């Protein structure tokens, strides 16, 4: 390699602290203290160092920056200890949002699974002892969640996507789950539905409890009775939803509409409607919750209460960075609203649609 080639290669290399110090004729210690705004460095020296760093394209290494700040710029996310979490589309979107937001600021995300026989708290404790993370993001919160209790006791920075029954003392980002299901019932009622069923989740989870509460509250508000068999809890996935919906279709008065705890559950319900020889959106209207892209590709496209799981991931990443940097957790308690995305899976009941069609032909 000739002198010109060596010079070009050197220009393409990352600029080290030693190279910056040699360029300015100062010690590495002085350079470091100037870049970290120590008061014992003269203003003119600090300005000269900063200008040279910008000119040469110097960027401190992640390790050096973290040591200088005394902050671990890595966030931990322990996958909920349940079957199906690896393929959960909501979690996948959320993790993608977190990872992208953190990476944009040169922070890292550690995603850890829970080994058999262990708990999420066990995994979090191991990561803390190893000094690998500066804080955590928690999701799929239970009404009384041991992870929240543990982080509060340990004084570890954390953000909850969701809430527990008592959300007063920590940072969280949640969607108004109760209102979302009130809105869904009112939407179907205004379309003309009077037989509205509900496929819910595990009531240990706070979001499932709130969504069921919203369904029950709205049914009362519009004066509708919840008929026997119209409310099924503990529906965790599309397979369970298909079974539960098939049973609903055999009731003496089958529902003309069903509201589902998630989009995945809604897709399972739609499969059951098809298998019964009926058409979702015509014979039985179906509404989901999550706003996942897969819903738009369903047959028919799924009406859903939308929240952006990707944007939620970005937002909790912003929040946990602030907390690790010392912000007050109670300044970060945010409630979003879900929005109804209207598609072809929810329409007026078939008898009303047929009456309207006949009237239009006369």
């Amino acid at each position: 390699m000739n002198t010109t080639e060596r010079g070009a290669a050197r220009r393409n290399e990352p600029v080290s602290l030693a190279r910056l110090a040699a360029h300015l004729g100062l010690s590495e210690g002085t350079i470091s203290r100037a870049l970290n705004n120590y008061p014992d460095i003269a203003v003119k020296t600090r300005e000269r160092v900063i200008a040279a760093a910008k000119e040469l394209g110097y960027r401190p290494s992640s390790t050096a920056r973290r040591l200088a700040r005394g902050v671990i710029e890595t966030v931990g996310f322990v996958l909920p200890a349940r079957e199906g979490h690896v393929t959960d589309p909501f979690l996948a979107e959320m993790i993608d949002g977190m990872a992208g937001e953190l990476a944009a600021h040169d922070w890292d995300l550690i995603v850890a699974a829970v080994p058999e026989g262990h708990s999420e708290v066990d995994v979090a404790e191991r990561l803390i002892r190893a000094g690998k993370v500066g804080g955590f993001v928690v999701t799929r919160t239970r009404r009384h969640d041991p992870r929240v209790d543990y982080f509060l006791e340990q004084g570890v920075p954390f953000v909850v996507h969701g809430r527990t029954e008592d959300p007063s003392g920590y940072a969280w980002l949640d969607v108004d789950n109760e209102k979302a299901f009130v809105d869904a019932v009112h939407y179907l009622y205004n379309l003309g539905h009077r037989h509205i069923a509900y496929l819910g989740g595990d009531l240990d989870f706070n979001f499932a409890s709130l969504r069921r509460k919203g369904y029950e509250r709205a049914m009362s508000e519009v004066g509708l009775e919840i008929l026997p068999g119209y409310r099924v809890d503990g529906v965790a996935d599309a397979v369970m939803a298909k079974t539960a919906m098939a049973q609903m279709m055999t009731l003496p008065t089958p529902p003309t509409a069903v509201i589902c705890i998630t989009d995945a559950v809604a897709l399972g319900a739609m499969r059951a409607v098809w298998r019964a020889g009926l058409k979702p959106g015509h014979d039985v209207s179906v509404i989901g919750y999550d706003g996942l892209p897969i819903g738009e590709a369903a047959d028919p496209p799924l009406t859903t209460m939308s929240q952006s799981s990707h944007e939620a991931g970005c937002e909790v990443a912003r929040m946990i960075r602030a907390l690790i940097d010392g912000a007050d957790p109670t300044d970060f308690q945010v409630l979003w609203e879900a929005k109804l995305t209207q598609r072809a899976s929810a329409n007026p009941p078939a008898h009303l649609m047929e009456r309207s069609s006949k009237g239009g032909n006369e």
Side-chain angles (χ1 to χ4, degrees):
M1 183 181 291
N2 58 36
T3 303
T4 302
E5 290 172 334
R6 283 196 298 270
R10 184 172 175 80
R11 282 192 299 272
N12 291 329
E13 293 174 359
V15 178
S16 65
L17 193 69
R19 183 177 167 191
L20 183 59
H23 175 77
L24 292 171
L26 300 170
S27 70
E28 291 183 33
T30 299
I31 296 293
S32 177
R33 297 177 74 81
L35 291 172
N36 286 286
N37 207 30
Y38 278 76
D40 60 337
I41 301 298
V43 173
K44 288 186 178 180
T45 301
R46 184 181 302 114
E47 290 174 348
R48 180 180 167 217
V49 169
I50 291 172
K54 289 180 179 178
E55 178 187 350
L56 296 178
Y58 169 77
R59 294 182 64 190
S61 71
S62 296
T63 302
R65 184 179 66 243
R66 291 166 185 170
L67 288 172
R69 296 177 65 226
V71 169
I72 302 173
E73 295 177 341
T74 301
V75 175
F77 182 82
V78 181
L79 288 169
R82 64 181 182 86
E83 292 184 5
H85 58 63
V86 176
T87 57
D88 185 324
F90 182 90
L91 283 184
E93 289 272 325
M94 183 176 169
I95 290 171
D96 184 63
M98 282 193 292
E101 176 66 23
L102 291 171
H105 297 275
D106 293 328
W107 283 51
D108 300 317
L109 177 68
I110 290 180
V111 179
V114 179
E116 187 175 351
H118 293 262
S119 71
E120 293 144 321
V121 170
D122 294 335
V123 177
E125 186 177 20
R126 175 175 59 79
L127 293 173
I128 293 169
R129 285 202 314 266
K132 291 183 176 180
V133 298
F136 288 86
V137 171
V138 176
T139 192
R140 301 294 191 203
T141 46
R142 298 185 178 273
R143 292 158 66 190
H144 305 284
D145 201 296
R147 297 169 297 173
V148 171
D149 294 339
Y150 173 75
F151 291 136
L152 286 172
E153 290 170 2
Q154 298 298 316
V156 176
F158 71 102
V159 172
V160 171
H161 178 251
R163 285 172 291 171
T164 58
E165 282 192 339
D166 179 10
S168 57
Y170 56 86
W172 50 264
L173 167 69
D174 200 4
V175 176
D176 194 335
N177 290 285
E178 182 177 346
K179 182 179 184 301
F181 278 65
V182 168
D183 291 347
V185 170
H186 279 273
Y187 177 71
L188 290 171
Y189 181 83
N190 291 333
L191 287 176
H193 290 278
R194 298 299 181 263
H195 298 97
I196 304 171
Y198 172 74
L199 292 178
D202 182 347
L203 293 177
D204 282 344
F205 290 104
N206 200 46
F207 75 90
S209 176
L210 291 170
R211 292 176 194 180
R212 181 187 184 191
K213 185 177 178 181
Y215 165 74
E216 293 173 340
R217 180 182 125 198
M219 291 290 281
S220 175
E221 287 175 353
V222 298
L224 295 182
E225 181 184 358
I226 300 174
L227 297 178
Y230 269 37
R231 180 178 49 213
V232 179
D233 296 307
V235 183
D237 54 36
V239 175
M240 295 177 69
K242 186 167 65 172
T243 301
M245 191 68 208
Q247 292 173 347
M248 283 185 176
M249 302 301 294
T250 67
L251 293 172
T253 304
T256 63
V258 60
I259 302 171
C260 302
I261 188 80
T262 64
D263 284 352
V265 167
L267 295 176
M270 288 186 5
R271 291 192 198 109
V273 174
W274 280 117
R275 292 192 67 176
L278 302 174
K279 183 178 178 181
H282 180 268
D283 300 295
V284 182
S285 287
V286 181
I287 294 182
Y289 183 100
D290 277 335
L292 297 176
I294 192 173
E296 192 170 0
D299 182 20
L302 179 64
T303 298
T304 181
M305 300 300 297
S306 301
Q307 61 163 309
S308 172
S309 48
H310 185 275
E311 181 54 35
C314 293
E315 183 63 20
V316 294
R318 297 181 194 112
M319 293 166 73
I320 189 59
R321 287 182 58 244
L323 296 183
I324 291 173
D325 280 339
D328 185 342
T330 58
D331 290 338
F332 295 87
Q333 296 178 338
V334 181
L335 188 65
W336 287 353
E337 283 194 14
K339 296 180 180 178
L340 180 69
T341 300
Q342 300 178 27
R343 299 193 184 111
S345 73
N347 292 290
H351 70 277
L352 293 183
M353 293 176 68
E354 290 167 2
R355 185 185 304 167
S356 175
S357 175
K358 289 178 181 178
N361 293 328
E362 292 176 353

